[in-house]
Amino acid sequence: MAAYVLKRLLLLIPLLFGITLLAFFLLNALPGDPVLSLVGERASPEVIENIRKEIGVDKGFIGQYMGYLKLLLHGDFGRSYYTNRDVLKDIIMKFPNTMRLAFAAMLIAVPLGIVAGFISAYKRDRFIDRLINVVSITGLSIPIFWSAIIIMLFLSLKLKLFPPSGTGDIRFLFLPAFVLSIPAMATLSRVTRTTILDILKMPYINTARAKGLPSIKISIVHVLKNAIIPIVTIIGLDFGSYLNGAVVTETIFGWDGIGRFTMEGIIKRDYPVIMGCIIFGTAVFVLVNLITDILYHYLDPRIRLHAKEK
């Protein structure tokens, strides 16, 4: 296991290198000029040229990229064009808010999604199953910005139960967390239902029933235990994407996290901010997936056996 973890961490180095190269190329290929976004089109040519030299965009693509790589090797993500603040320090400052939002969203999505999937599987083809399926498909189909606006209008502006935007206690946290949990909840429900229906057809389930085991014991010991791997996979993928910053949700609700920070960087063409968020988000996503893979090793004896055989 230690060798496997070390191997995955070492693979992170070429992955981050490739991500930085691709992101840097795409940012430079986009139309527009970050300097003009910074000073405006009415600035004199001398001012524009001085700022180009100051922020380092007067060099060619190779020169800019090599300069950025040199900064990264020293653990420096550069400085924002607009605030002149250290980008890495800003990311670290905003990341706890994104973590709060991600944990809150998963606390809503995981239990409700798994329970809904269980009910749907055990009540297959009944009214409750069809209702859960309709709700799940609707949750997956509706764009998250639309559900965010509708929920904000209804619960905040009309009923005045929660603040419409801002960063703060649970009153500010609930709405963005709930909106963020909807797709994950729907996905977990569908995956849990499908997995459980497949498991219920297995011979060992019939054997357990023939032995007279209680239904609750069969559901927890035999069904849930064997269904846990795909469920953990969905949780890991969703949680990793949330920790990268839910850009739309954080922007709509004014939540001061990585997602909103990224969106502000995109709007202002603040390349150091965009690059920093991409690199940080990639590293977080890979690490979360690594933790998920390690959990597989402990949750499923077949994976441990396969690893020993190798």
Side-chain angles (χ1 to χ4, degrees), residues 193-202 204:
R193 179 185 185 275
T194 303
T195 306
I196 289 175
L197 287 177
D198 290 337
I199 291 173
L200 290 176
K201 298 175 185 176
M202 296 295 177
Y204 59 82

Side-chain angles (χ1 to χ4, degrees), residues 38-58:
L38 183 62
V39 301
E41 296 182 358
R42 296 184 178 181
S44 65
E46 293 80 10
V47 171
I48 293 175
E49 187 61 30
N50 288 335
I51 293 179
R52 285 186 189 281
K53 291 180 180 179
E54 184 179 340
I55 65 178
V57 297
D58 58 321

Side-chain angles (χ1 to χ4, degrees), residues 246-290:
V247 175
V248 175
T249 305
E250 289 188 1
T251 302
I252 291 176
F253 288 98
W255 187 262
D256 191 23
I258 299 293
R260 185 183 175 193
F261 189 50
T262 305
M263 179 60 74
E264 290 173 350
I266 293 171
I267 293 172
K268 296 176 180 177
R269 299 184 183 276
D270 199 340
Y271 291 169
V273 169
I274 300 172
M275 288 294 299
C277 290
I278 290 173
I279 295 168
F280 186 82
T282 302
V284 167
F285 192 81
V286 171
L287 291 175
V288 169
N289 278 274
L290 175 60

Side-chain angles (χ1 to χ4, degrees), residues 153-164:
L153 287 173
F154 184 70
L155 295 180
S156 291
L157 302 182
K158 188 173 182 180
L159 297 181
K160 301 189 183 301
L161 297 177
F162 302 96

Side-chain angles (χ1 to χ4, degrees), residues 10-58:
L10 289 175
L11 287 174
L12 182 61
I13 297 173
L15 175 63
L16 288 176
F17 174 77
I19 290 293
T20 56
L21 180 60
L22 179 61
F24 208 87
F25 173 77
L26 291 175
L27 286 176
N28 280 270
L30 290 174
D33 190 335
V35 177
L36 293 181
S37 299
L38 183 62
V39 301
E41 296 182 358
R42 296 184 178 181
S44 65
E46 293 80 10
V47 171
I48 293 175
E49 187 61 30
N50 288 335
I51 293 179
R52 285 186 189 281
K53 291 180 180 179
E54 184 179 340
I55 65 178
V57 297
D58 58 321

Side-chain angles (χ1 to χ4, degrees), residues 69-85:
L69 277 184
K70 186 177 179 181
L71 287 176
L72 284 181
L73 291 176
H74 289 86
D76 188 350
F77 280 25
R79 289 185 171 275
S80 167
Y81 291 162
Y82 282 79
T83 65
N84 199 36
R85 289 172 56 89

Side-chain angles (χ1 to χ4, degrees), residues 49-235:
E49 187 61 30
N50 288 335
I51 293 179
R52 285 186 189 281
K53 291 180 180 179
E54 184 179 340
I55 65 178
V57 297
D58 58 321
K59 305 172 185 176
F61 173 78
I62 299 297
Q64 292 182 53
Y65 182 65
M66 295 306 295
Y68 189 72
L69 277 184
K70 186 177 179 181
L71 287 176
L72 284 181
L73 291 176
H74 289 86
D76 188 350
F77 280 25
R79 289 185 171 275
S80 167
Y81 291 162
Y82 282 79
T83 65
N84 199 36
R85 289 172 56 89
D86 187 287
V87 171
L88 182 57
K89 288 183 179 179
D90 280 347
I91 290 175
I92 293 173
M93 181 180 68
K94 295 174 185 298
F95 187 59
N97 285 334
T98 297
M99 284 190 67
R100 286 174 59 202
L101 182 59
F103 274 110
M106 295 313 296
L107 283 175
I108 297 171
V110 172
L112 293 181
I114 293 175
V115 169
F118 259 88
I119 294 173
S120 186
Y122 278 94
K123 302 294 182 180
R124 183 182 181 183
D125 295 331
R126 299 184 187 179
F127 173 77
I128 187 66
D129 177 33
R130 296 190 180 95
L131 178 62
I132 291 174
N133 285 337
V134 169
V135 172
S136 298
I137 293 171
T138 303
L140 288 170
S141 303
I142 296 178
I144 197 165
F145 70 86
W146 179 254
S147 57
I149 292 172
I150 295 300
I151 290 173
M152 181 190 293
L153 287 173
F154 184 70
L155 295 180
S156 291
L157 302 182
K158 188 173 182 180
L159 297 181
K160 301 189 183 301
L161 297 177
F162 302 96
S165 64
T167 307
D169 57 22
I170 192 170
R171 296 180 302 109
F172 292 89
L173 178 62
F174 179 78
L175 286 188
F178 180 73
V179 169
L180 199 58
S181 73
I182 292 174
M185 200 187 310
T187 304
L188 276 171
S189 174
R190 299 294 297 168
V191 170
T192 303
R193 179 185 185 275
T194 303
T195 306
I196 289 175
L197 287 177
D198 290 337
I199 291 173
L200 290 176
K201 298 175 185 176
M202 296 295 177
Y204 59 82
I205 298 297
N206 293 329
T207 302
R209 287 171 176 164
K211 289 181 178 180
L213 293 178
S215 298
I216 186 67
K217 187 173 182 180
I218 294 174
S219 298
I220 295 175
V221 176
H222 296 284
V223 177
L224 181 59
K225 188 176 180 180
N226 287 280
I228 198 68
I229 294 298
I231 292 174
V232 168
T233 301
I234 298 299
I235 294 172

